[in-house]
Amino acid sequence: METTKALKEEGGEGGQEKEVLLDGSNGSSSSGDANTNGAPKHRHTPTASYGGDEKGIYEIFGWVYHIGVNSIGHEYCHLRFLFIKGKYVMMYKRDPHENPGIKPIRKGVIGPTLMVEELGRRKVNDGDLYVIQFYNRLDESKKGEIACPTAGEARKWMEAFDHAKQQAEYELSRGGSTRNKLNMEADIDLDGHRPRVRRYAHGLKNLIRIGKGPEMLLRQTSNLGGSGTSNRYFEGEFGDAIEAHEWKCVRTVNGIRIFEDVADSKRGKGALVKAVGLVDASADTAFDVILNLERRKRYEWDMLTADLELIDSYDGHYDVVYGTYDPKYLTRWQSKRDFVFTRQWFRGQDGAYTILQLPAAHKKRPSRSGYRRTSISPSTWEVRSLNSPMGSNTTKCLVTHMLEIRSSGWLRWKKNSSSKFEQTIPYALLSQVAGLKEYIGANPSLSFESSATVVQSKLSDVSTSSSEFEDLEVQDEFYDAIAGDSTSSSEDEESEDDTENKKIKLKNVSWAISSLALKRASAPDVNKELDPTVPPVHVDASQFSGSLHKGRDETDSNCWTCPSGTGFMIRGKTYLKDNAKIMGSDPLLKLIAVDWFKVDTATDKIALHPRSLVQSDAGKKLPFILVINLEVPAKPNYSLVLYYAAERPVNKNSLLGRFVDGTDMFRDARFKLIPSIVEGYWMVKRAVGTKACLLGKAVTCKYFRQDNFLEIDVDIGSSSVARSVIGLVLGYVTSLVVDLAILIEAKEEAELPEYILGTVRLNRVKPESAVPLNA
């Protein structure tokens, strides 16, 4: 992950760039600034400062790489200083802190239709960078990319843009002028006069940065940054669905706990086991160390897969590697071994990393003379940061390496009666956690930034912010804002605002699930969410039928059923105080039918199609229908359509009412899904997980409100990570039992406790049973 070439220094401070902001498709660099053949000259850790509450404006700043292709087809990678204030964004060639008079080369607005996607790792000018893509969900032809040297910094910028979108939403909720509301939805050029630009950037000197700045750019990629702190320690398993695993600690080896899943006694000679270790580093640091292929570094902690070579890479989240090892330390065989396996990785919305490793074959690496081809056991890495106590700057993470073992020596080894298992490949894989822990502990420089990476805030008064921009006709989405001339006669720099730096308490929304029997189930308040003044109607599911039939019992296949919500953990009444979650209860809405369609391309507005039950006479008589259209990318594409009905109209003043008739930004921030693989291959379970996901932040969701229904079209193919996971799921779908819970996230005390909006269980669905939508 080390960049080896240098990028030429940028041109004059006031120079223009003609590229569209974060959109290389329309760009061309000035001669003094272009360099398409070299990596950045200054390797650094981008920095950011987070601040703000309902009375202030977030200000985030730091270094990023702006990458793309210019108008003549040349790739570029430029070091840029990005500054976000509220919903406004500016990009500079130099740090405005060190160059107060510098003018921005790009500027614009973060609007409600902005989508931010993490594209994963990409080779850029002989170095590995983590790429973030921006696009407008209403016009996906406008795209742009920035990149960061570590996964952790990419995560911080993802969070920064999310904060900016929340700021835009807050300004809308404050009832801004009609002109401002229209401006947030419009795209125009920012070529014109932009006064007070210098004053806008001048206050940066008071901001406390995260990271070391541009002087650290040439450091090894082992100089990975730690991240913020919180107020609690980790306890128990993370997740929002109750899993069937029952983990028992059977051994402790070198400070690492070895667990076995004892819930399933039918595994025969095999067992699902995991090694768990506490590592003194952030999850970002541990993830980068695990993913790094550099031989010199892997030799220090990995006794098995240290000699690795990248064969191929796809989509930034998937690669194929080839490795060799000398087995003399493991077995009596003296012949050398080689292997090929794939790695697929992604980061959850809670910041946890998952890496899936599966044995594979590849045409670029056929059998090799002198080596015996062997298979590495399928395994997963899971890395998640732990909450630290209030006031502590220490950073820790929990690393879990899980694999399925079919060794006959496993049962004897865990009882201390045999050491043969310690000479096997599975044991070497489990020992990687111990090696990783010791390696990071012996190299404090890996977490050199952790002591300096306390998240700080600077709050800018909202009224001041408004006055700063009152002269601007701000109507641009930032990613396609044209570089402005910025020849405005800026007024003298005014005195810096006296603001208070405050630490933000970062809440870990994935708080531990414990004492389930003591947690009371959360049932929806029907009279609160639905209109109590209207008499209920009887929803007879037998009047409706979809292309996927309802199951007779749990043994039926290629069908759906409707489970209760007790298998899911949701936010309790006191969640904002103690992060406590409780069991869900019966859903508010009734699942009346499921359609399983085959389509040529992703299809929106299914409810308007003549085949949809919404268009039937019985459907038109229902008070309200929620239509969830899960668009599954494959060959062909599929649409899984869920129809939920209410017995009364929606209460306009309820949380559900605000969601149904609210803005797309509000819906994106609240529409939540909890998955759970009830039965199926354990690798698929780990890939899907059980953590709640805000779908509007993970993939593109489109909302269509009309008559007595709301349709939500979920484009799973809009995210490379989601495409990768769904591809794995489809490979095993005929053997999977999948539970899904749909709910609206509660963020205020009056909205708590949460309740389940609807559930569905999909029993071993067959892709070939999908019916053509337009047949």
Side-chain angles (χ1 to χ4, degrees), residues 5 24 56 62 116 120 122 132 159 178 236 303 389 412 421 442 451 457 558 663 722 738 756:
K5 294 187 179 180
V116 184
R122 183 189 302 174
I132 301 173
E159 293 172 353
T178 302
M303 63 180 290
R412 293 191 300 270
F421 179 72
S451 60
S457 66
N558 196 36
T663 64
V738 183
I756 302 291

Short mmCIF file of all heavy atoms in Angstrom, two decimals, residues 5 24 56 62 116 120 122 132 159 178 236 303 389 412 421 442 451 457 558 663 722 738 756:
data_model
loop_
_atom_site.label_atom_id
_atom_site.label_comp_id
_atom_site.label_asym_id
_atom_site.label_seq_id
_atom_site.Cartn_x
_atom_site.Cartn_y
_atom_site.Cartn_z
N LYS A 5 5.97 6.47 -6.46
CA LYS A 5 6.34 7.54 -7.38
C LYS A 5 5.89 8.88 -6.83
O LYS A 5 5.17 8.96 -5.85
CB LYS A 5 5.71 7.28 -8.75
CG LYS A 5 6.28 6.04 -9.44
CD LYS A 5 5.76 5.93 -10.85
CE LYS A 5 6.35 4.71 -11.55
NZ LYS A 5 5.87 4.57 -12.93
N GLY A 24 -13.96 13.89 -13.33
CA GLY A 24 -12.89 13.95 -14.31
C GLY A 24 -13.37 13.84 -15.73
O GLY A 24 -12.63 14.11 -16.66
N GLY A 56 -25.35 24.95 15.44
CA GLY A 56 -24.10 25.26 14.78
C GLY A 56 -23.96 24.61 13.44
O GLY A 56 -24.83 23.86 13.00
N GLY A 62 -9.52 18.82 5.25
CA GLY A 62 -8.43 17.87 5.17
C GLY A 62 -7.94 17.67 3.75
O GLY A 62 -8.50 18.20 2.79
N VAL A 116 -23.11 9.05 -1.93
CA VAL A 116 -21.70 8.83 -1.69
C VAL A 116 -21.48 7.33 -1.56
O VAL A 116 -22.13 6.67 -0.76
CB VAL A 116 -21.22 9.55 -0.41
CG1 VAL A 116 -19.72 9.38 -0.23
CG2 VAL A 116 -21.58 11.02 -0.46
N GLY A 120 -13.94 1.12 -2.60
CA GLY A 120 -12.91 0.19 -2.16
C GLY A 120 -11.52 0.60 -2.60
O GLY A 120 -11.25 1.76 -2.89
N ARG A 122 -8.08 0.74 -4.87
CA ARG A 122 -7.73 0.80 -6.29
C ARG A 122 -6.26 1.16 -6.43
O ARG A 122 -5.72 1.97 -5.67
CB ARG A 122 -8.59 1.85 -7.00
CG ARG A 122 -8.34 1.94 -8.51
CD ARG A 122 -9.05 3.12 -9.13
NE ARG A 122 -10.49 3.06 -8.91
CZ ARG A 122 -11.32 4.04 -9.27
NH1 ARG A 122 -10.84 5.15 -9.82
NH2 ARG A 122 -12.61 3.93 -9.05
N ILE A 132 -13.62 7.03 -3.07
CA ILE A 132 -15.01 7.41 -2.77
C ILE A 132 -15.59 8.08 -4.01
O ILE A 132 -14.98 8.97 -4.59
CB ILE A 132 -15.07 8.38 -1.58
CG1 ILE A 132 -14.46 7.75 -0.33
CG2 ILE A 132 -16.50 8.81 -1.31
CD1 ILE A 132 -14.33 8.71 0.83
N GLU A 159 -18.27 9.86 6.57
CA GLU A 159 -19.03 10.40 7.69
C GLU A 159 -19.16 11.92 7.57
O GLU A 159 -20.20 12.50 7.92
CB GLU A 159 -18.35 10.04 9.01
CG GLU A 159 -18.38 8.54 9.32
CD GLU A 159 -17.54 8.18 10.52
OE1 GLU A 159 -16.83 9.08 11.03
OE2 GLU A 159 -17.59 7.02 10.97
N THR A 178 -38.16 29.92 0.35
CA THR A 178 -38.49 29.11 -0.83
C THR A 178 -37.33 29.11 -1.81
O THR A 178 -37.01 28.09 -2.42
CB THR A 178 -39.75 29.65 -1.51
OG1 THR A 178 -40.81 29.66 -0.56
CG2 THR A 178 -40.12 28.79 -2.71
N GLY A 236 -20.41 -8.41 24.80
CA GLY A 236 -21.25 -9.32 24.05
C GLY A 236 -21.11 -9.17 22.55
O GLY A 236 -20.27 -8.47 22.02
N MET A 303 2.42 -16.77 9.72
CA MET A 303 3.29 -17.92 9.50
C MET A 303 2.86 -18.77 8.31
O MET A 303 3.59 -19.67 7.91
CB MET A 303 3.29 -18.80 10.75
CG MET A 303 1.94 -19.41 11.10
SD MET A 303 1.98 -20.46 12.58
CE MET A 303 2.92 -21.86 11.99
N PRO A 389 -13.56 3.95 27.46
CA PRO A 389 -14.21 4.71 28.53
C PRO A 389 -14.07 6.20 28.31
O PRO A 389 -13.14 6.66 27.64
CB PRO A 389 -13.46 4.24 29.79
CG PRO A 389 -12.14 3.77 29.30
CD PRO A 389 -12.40 3.18 27.93
N ARG A 412 -9.46 -33.85 19.97
CA ARG A 412 -8.43 -34.21 20.95
C ARG A 412 -7.63 -32.98 21.38
O ARG A 412 -7.27 -32.85 22.54
CB ARG A 412 -7.50 -35.27 20.35
CG ARG A 412 -8.17 -36.62 20.12
CD ARG A 412 -7.14 -37.69 19.80
NE ARG A 412 -6.38 -37.37 18.59
CZ ARG A 412 -6.76 -37.74 17.36
NH1 ARG A 412 -7.88 -38.43 17.20
NH2 ARG A 412 -6.02 -37.44 16.33
N PHE A 421 -2.86 -31.43 16.03
CA PHE A 421 -3.62 -30.36 15.41
C PHE A 421 -2.78 -29.10 15.22
O PHE A 421 -3.01 -28.32 14.30
CB PHE A 421 -4.87 -30.04 16.25
CG PHE A 421 -5.71 -28.92 15.70
CD1 PHE A 421 -6.48 -29.11 14.54
CD2 PHE A 421 -5.72 -27.68 16.31
CE1 PHE A 421 -7.24 -28.07 14.04
CE2 PHE A 421 -6.47 -26.64 15.80
CZ PHE A 421 -7.24 -26.84 14.66
N ALA A 442 4.02 -4.76 19.06
CA ALA A 442 5.46 -4.52 19.01
C ALA A 442 5.82 -3.37 18.09
O ALA A 442 7.00 -2.99 18.01
CB ALA A 442 6.18 -5.79 18.56
N SER A 451 -2.93 8.92 19.33
CA SER A 451 -2.91 9.88 20.43
C SER A 451 -3.30 11.27 19.98
O SER A 451 -3.66 12.11 20.79
CB SER A 451 -1.51 9.94 21.05
OG SER A 451 -0.55 10.33 20.07
N SER A 457 -14.40 19.70 17.56
CA SER A 457 -15.43 20.40 16.82
C SER A 457 -15.21 21.90 16.90
O SER A 457 -14.69 22.43 17.87
CB SER A 457 -16.81 20.07 17.39
OG SER A 457 -16.94 20.56 18.70
N ASN A 558 -39.21 -22.45 -1.62
CA ASN A 558 -39.57 -21.52 -2.68
C ASN A 558 -40.86 -20.78 -2.33
O ASN A 558 -41.82 -20.75 -3.10
CB ASN A 558 -39.72 -22.24 -4.02
CG ASN A 558 -39.70 -21.26 -5.19
OD1 ASN A 558 -38.97 -20.26 -5.16
ND2 ASN A 558 -40.48 -21.53 -6.22
N THR A 663 -39.83 14.12 2.95
CA THR A 663 -38.88 14.32 1.86
C THR A 663 -38.04 13.06 1.66
O THR A 663 -37.93 12.22 2.55
CB THR A 663 -37.94 15.50 2.18
OG1 THR A 663 -37.15 15.17 3.34
CG2 THR A 663 -38.74 16.76 2.45
N ALA A 722 -22.82 -3.94 -2.18
CA ALA A 722 -24.09 -4.67 -2.17
C ALA A 722 -24.17 -5.66 -3.32
O ALA A 722 -24.67 -6.78 -3.15
CB ALA A 722 -25.26 -3.68 -2.24
N VAL A 738 -34.07 -16.78 4.88
CA VAL A 738 -33.68 -15.40 5.16
C VAL A 738 -34.84 -14.66 5.81
O VAL A 738 -35.97 -14.69 5.31
CB VAL A 738 -33.27 -14.66 3.87
CG1 VAL A 738 -32.80 -13.25 4.18
CG2 VAL A 738 -32.19 -15.45 3.13
N ILE A 756 -41.43 -2.71 14.76
CA ILE A 756 -41.24 -3.36 13.47
C ILE A 756 -42.38 -2.96 12.54
O ILE A 756 -43.55 -3.10 12.88
CB ILE A 756 -41.20 -4.89 13.62
CG1 ILE A 756 -40.10 -5.31 14.59
CG2 ILE A 756 -41.01 -5.56 12.27
CD1 ILE A 756 -38.70 -5.09 14.10
#
